[in-house]
Amino acid sequence: QKEVEQNSGPLSVPEGAIASLNCTYSDRGSQSFFWYRQYSGKSPELIMSIYSNGDKEDGRFTAQLNKASQYVSLLIRDSQPSDSATYLCAPERGAGSYQLTFGKGTKLSVIP
Amino acid sequence: GAVVSQHPSRVICKSGTSVKIECRSLDFQATTMFWYRQFPKKSLMLMATSNEGSKATYEQGVEKDKFLINHASLTLSTLTVTSAHPEDSSFYICSGNNQLGGETQYFGPGTRLLVL
């Protein structure tokens, strides 16, 4: 069984701070990685995807990938109360499968 | 772009009845659609993967005769929960994979099923 591990949180950060969300995965065949945000009672919405080692920035979000360490992270700069949600890490199950394995998510709370 | 709708958003039914959930990709063609189930405070669990025009592939432990999936077109997939029981009460979410967009999945808003 392929595993995706995330700290469940809650992770509390003050408004304006940087939130750092971490994820490790066990499937060495994974080549594509996704971060989704899920508000309580809602379905996931895509935040970012990353495919290559290193950093990828999109607005206030930066995804970091290290395939050798099987580690992917998401940084949220200038955190806002509206960022309060559960963040799901989802590696693809092996290259080309198009299937995702979801972690349990990290609950982020941004304190005004 | 990449909008997925689901209907109904919420359904309550009696034990033993069947419930059909529709999933539509509104502005793209979904080569592959996925059905997930999420229990409270748990992660999304993939139930099945369906490709247009072919039989769905079910995850281990998911009964294909209980959860019937039809992917009749590139924009529509349906999940029918047959003979529903209270333990089937959950949040069912579908997603579509854009034919042109690679691995990214776009999720519908989900259907909350309560079986009494």
Side-chain angles (χ1 to χ4, degrees):
Chain A
Q1 183 75 13
K2 303 302 182 183
E3 300 287 337
V4 179
E5 299 288 339
Q6 295 182 255
N7 287 328
S8 61
L11 172 65
S12 294
V13 300
E15 183 175 355
I18 296 175
S20 178
L21 307 165
N22 305 314
C23 172
T24 59
Y25 59 94
S26 65
D27 187 353
R28 286 196 171 275
S30 297
Q31 297 297 317
S32 304
F33 304 85
F34 301 85
W35 282 98
Y36 286 86
R37 175 173 63 193
Q38 187 175 25
Y39 291 110
S40 181
K42 303 295 184 182
S43 68
E45 56 179 321
L46 180 69
I47 298 293
M48 287 189 71
S49 60
I50 186 167
Y51 306 96
S52 304
N53 283 330
D55 296 358
K56 178 182 178 183
E57 186 175 319
D58 184 0
R60 294 187 295 114
F61 300 95
T62 298
Q64 299 173 316
L65 174 61
N66 184 326
K67 293 182 182 178
S69 300
Q70 296 174 249
Y71 174 85
V72 59
S73 67
L74 180 70
L75 298 177
I76 307 175
R77 288 182 300 282
D78 188 24
S79 297
Q80 301 297 310
S82 58
D83 294 327
S84 298
T86 297
Y87 289 80
L88 305 172
C89 170
E92 187 190 17
R93 284 187 194 176
S97 77
Y98 290 177
Q99 294 172 324
L100 303 179
T101 301
F102 282 85
K104 291 183 179 180
T106 298
K107 187 171 183 178
L108 172 66
S109 179
V110 180
I111 311 302
Chain B
V3 178
V4 177
S5 69
Q6 270 185 254
H7 179 79
S9 58
R10 187 179 296 266
V11 58
I12 301 173
C13 69
K14 293 182 179 179
S15 185
T17 61
S18 295
V19 174
K20 180 185 281 190
I21 302 170
E22 287 189 352
C23 176
R24 293 181 184 273
S25 57
L26 299 184
D27 55 0
F28 69 99
Q29 293 188 321
T31 314
T32 307
M33 284 187 168
F34 306 86
W35 287 95
Y36 294 83
R37 182 167 52 179
Q38 187 176 36
F39 292 106
K41 300 189 184 303
K42 300 293 185 182
S43 185
L44 274 75
M45 297 300 296
L46 180 65
M47 299 176 66
T49 302
S50 74
N51 291 294
E52 183 260 341
S54 60
K55 290 184 178 180
T57 303
Y58 290 81
E59 294 297 298
Q60 191 173 9
V62 177
E63 301 174 56
K64 62 179 182 179
D65 294 329
K66 180 172 181 61
F67 298 99
L68 303 179
I69 292 172
N70 184 281
H71 192 163
S73 75
L74 285 172
T75 59
L76 174 64
S77 177
T78 60
L79 167 69
T80 301
V81 183
T82 62
S83 187
H85 288 95
E87 58 266 29
D88 297 322
S89 299
S90 188
F91 191 38
Y92 291 85
I93 313 171
C94 72
S95 70
N97 171 265
N98 191 325
Q99 190 174 27
L100 302 176
E103 304 89 351
T104 303
Q105 291 184 26
Y106 299 94
F107 285 84
T111 296
R112 202 163 294 280
L113 171 64
L114 176 61
V115 185
L116 301 176

